[in-house]
């Protein structure tokens, strides 16, 4: 069971954390970020099972829109940290295990012009794990 979620840089969630109880309800006005919490959990679930680009593409909206916007520009890092209760560990006397933060960064690339020249046609942004080579 997830007992704590920390998120920074995902949609409207900046330096956000929440402690979960066995039954947790999110209540608030429209545009408060309730759905973004669920989207963050869904993204983490997809990242566990799929390549990073596919996990982002299957989220709501464009991949780059899942990064927090600051001063009109999309951020470059999303940080997650999750604390879990694992049944096997709980039975052995250890109550909780923390999964290390999962840093992500946006890689900005400009595709080549259709004529094969070096002039960029526009910009394309994709997500990659920190330290990954493209």
């Amino acid at each position: 069971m997830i007992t704590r979620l920390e998120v920074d840089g995902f949609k409207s969630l900046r330096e956000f954390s929440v402690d979960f109880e066995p039954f947790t309800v999110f209540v608030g006005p429209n545009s408060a970020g309730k759905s973004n919490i669920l989207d963050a959990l869904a993204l983490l679930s997809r990242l566990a099972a799929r390549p990073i680009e596919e996990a982002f593409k299957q989220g709501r909206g464009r991949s780059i829109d899942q990064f927090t916007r600051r001063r009109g520009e999309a951020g470059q890092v999303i940080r997650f940290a999750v604390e879990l209760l694992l049944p096997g560990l709980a039975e052995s006397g250890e109550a909780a295990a923390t999964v290390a933060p999962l840093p992500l960064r946006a890689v900005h690339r400009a595709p080549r012009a259709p004529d094969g020249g070096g002039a960029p046609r526009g910009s394309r942004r994709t997500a990659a794990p920190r330290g990954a080579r493209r």
Side-chain angles (χ1 to χ4, degrees), residues 101-113:
L102 175 62
L104 302 174
R105 66 181 173 87
V107 177
H108 305 279
R109 282 197 214 150
R112 298 273 181 212

Side-chain angles (χ1 to χ4, degrees), residues 20-70:
F20 293 103
E21 298 296 327
F23 182 77
T24 301
V25 177
F26 297 111
V27 178
N30 292 343
S31 299
K34 302 176 301 288
S35 294
N36 290 346
I37 298 166
L38 300 176
D39 288 346
L41 289 168
L43 175 59
L44 285 171
S45 176
R46 291 190 307 272
L47 286 170
R50 296 176 177 88
I52 191 167
E53 287 184 18
E54 186 179 327
F56 271 87
K57 286 179 183 176
Q58 291 179 349
R60 290 188 310 139
R62 298 177 308 166
S63 296
I64 198 65
D65 292 337
Q66 295 177 61
F67 289 79
T68 297
R69 291 201 167 276
R70 291 184 174 100

